[in-house]
Amino acid sequence: MKKLITGISLAIACLLLTACGETPINFIFQKFDKTVYEEFMEISSVQNNFISNANDVALISGLVTEEKNYLDKSFELFQNTNDYILLIMPIFDLGQNSPGSSAVYSTNNFTNEKFKQISMFQVEHLEQSLFTENTENYYYRMDWTEGGIVINYTLNINYDNNLNQTEYKINVDYQDSNVDGVSFNKFYLVKYDTETGYFYFEIKDNENAIGGTVVEYYVLESGFYISRITECTYNQMSVPNYVGVDFMIQNFNGRVKYSNYGTVRPDNIKNLNNVTYSNFAVISSDDKSTSFKYAYDISDGRISVDKVVK
């Protein structure tokens, strides 16, 4: 009888978890089975499809203005960051083995209209490269002469013995001769692990800048794609402010969480040590004592909102 009662209790607990949308799903690594370039392009496509669908759902959901604003801020931060990453991905498709040109690179996943207009986005690996004992420097160029847009890339590859990981440092010089004010320089630090399906990108105005944006992506065995983006800005008193957005996507359904962390830097999600299905991209019990977070659940054409605003 005691065993029967225990069994019924467990069954009820499982039903409650399912009913609350907390179906237990393990966050387990899914190794890359395609090239790094193809893996990121798939992540970018899934992410953009989800955002497009979520925007449609949000339009008919009856969100109040503030709730809609922070969902929009979340999408904007991810899409802007995604656009900057897409500018460098042809390098990972072309590689560093020998000079030559990449295939014509699709701009379908860009959201920046100016970038989408680069219909002949083709990157050339230049011959002038410098090799030393510990460092490789490579040079690339994207020159769409007809549109007046030129992108010069310098790639530095370094192996970090402490992290047991290869780091890719890329400096980008973007010039548009047709439009004033759209030329810029960006520095990227890129790391990835094919065995655990992990990407890390850090984007700053230059290598020594103290502010910038970090984004991590995981491909999970369960079919979920999870991401954490952290944007750090400094005020005039050199005090940091961290804003973060979490995405958890499976097909057109998923969760989004916007957080203002203030001066506290959020944890990275590398190794999945501190994130689970139950606490990722949701308002957790620990969040109740914090000051500003919005979490959205988009599922089957509906959207729900949870928030902490003090």
Side-chain angles (χ1 to χ4, degrees):
M1 184 66 178
K2 185 176 181 181
K3 290 182 178 180
L4 177 60
I5 293 173
T6 301
I8 293 172
S9 299
L10 288 172
I12 293 172
C14 289
L15 287 171
L16 288 174
L17 281 172
T18 303
C20 295
E22 293 297 333
T23 307
I25 295 175
N26 292 326
F27 275 14
I28 300 174
F29 306 129
Q30 173 67 55
K31 68 184 296 183
F32 292 158
D33 58 9
K34 297 183 283 292
T35 67
V36 168
Y37 169 83
E38 291 173 316
E39 291 286 354
F40 182 80
M41 296 307 292
E42 181 173 311
I43 290 172
S44 177
S45 179
V46 168
Q47 175 183 288
N48 283 343
N49 288 338
F50 169 77
I51 290 176
S52 178
N53 177 69
N55 275 326
D56 290 341
V57 173
L59 283 175
I60 60 174
S61 65
L63 295 180
V64 301
T65 300
E66 189 175 31
E67 293 169 347
K68 180 66 165 59
N69 285 345
Y70 284 100
L71 184 62
D72 289 343
K73 285 179 182 289
S74 300
F75 292 161
E76 182 180 1
L77 182 56
F78 255 100
Q79 289 180 315
N80 286 344
T81 304
N82 180 73
D83 281 349
Y84 280 118
I85 294 173
L86 289 175
L87 287 176
I88 66 169
M89 287 315 294
I91 290 176
F92 293 93
D93 187 32
L94 184 56
Q96 297 85 46
N97 292 330
S98 61
S101 297
S102 70
V104 176
Y105 176 53
S106 171
T107 59
N108 291 339
N109 284 331
F110 282 106
T111 58
N112 184 303
E113 288 302 317
K114 188 60 183 177
F115 297 163
K116 289 173 77 74
Q117 292 174 21
I118 310 176
S119 59
M120 288 297 293
F121 199 129
Q122 189 171 38
V123 173
E124 181 184 3
H125 176 199
L126 305 179
E127 291 188 7
Q128 56 266 40
S129 61
L130 175 67
F131 176 80
T132 62
E133 184 177 352
N134 298 315
T135 304
E136 295 181 13
N137 286 329
Y138 297 95
Y139 303 91
Y140 301 81
R141 183 179 180 89
M142 197 297 295
D143 187 353
W144 190 43
T145 306
E146 181 182 347
I149 297 173
V150 176
I151 308 175
N152 285 301
Y153 307 87
T154 301
L155 169 64
N156 174 279
I157 303 175
N158 179 63
Y159 186 77
D160 189 316
N161 290 311
N162 293 325
L163 296 176
N164 193 31
Q165 192 170 32
T166 300
E167 298 180 334
Y168 299 83
K169 297 181 178 181
I170 304 173
N171 285 286
V172 169
D173 175 51
Y174 180 102
Q175 301 291 330
D176 185 345
S177 62
N178 295 323
V179 183
D180 292 335
V182 298
S183 299
F184 59 82
N185 295 286
K186 289 291 180 183
F187 168 80
Y188 299 72
L189 174 63
V190 183
K191 294 179 280 189
Y192 57 82
D193 184 354
T194 59
E195 292 301 308
T196 61
Y198 175 75
F199 277 110
Y200 174 97
F201 297 92
E202 183 174 348
I203 307 171
K204 303 188 291 187
D205 290 337
N206 60 73
E207 186 170 1
N208 297 319
I210 57 174
T213 302
V214 169
V215 60
E216 301 169 277
Y217 301 90
Y218 263 113
V219 180
L220 301 182
E221 192 177 74
S222 58
F224 279 100
Y225 295 80
I226 66 170
S227 314
R228 171 165 291 174
I229 183 169
T230 304
E231 184 179 55
C232 177
T233 57
Y234 284 78
N235 65 17
Q236 293 180 345
M237 302 297 292
S238 297
V239 176
N241 184 69
Y242 294 97
V243 170
V245 178
D246 292 340
F247 270 31
M248 188 175 78
I249 303 169
Q250 187 179 48
N251 299 319
F252 290 101
N253 295 330
R255 304 197 303 222
V256 182
K257 180 182 178 183
Y258 177 94
S259 304
N260 191 330
Y261 294 96
T263 59
V264 179
R265 182 186 183 94
D267 294 331
N268 287 349
I269 61 174
K270 182 167 174 54
N271 300 322
L272 302 178
N273 290 331
N274 61 330
V275 293
T276 65
Y277 176 83
S278 297
N279 70 13
F280 189 74
V282 298
I283 302 294
S284 66
S285 56
D286 291 339
D287 289 328
K288 300 299 183 180
S289 61
T290 60
S291 60
F292 200 92
K293 298 180 188 295
Y294 279 79
Y296 305 83
D297 191 324
I298 295 97
S299 180
D300 299 327
R302 296 184 297 274
I303 184 168
S304 59
V305 186
D306 194 7
K307 57 191 174 185
V308 177
V309 180
K310 296 181 181 179

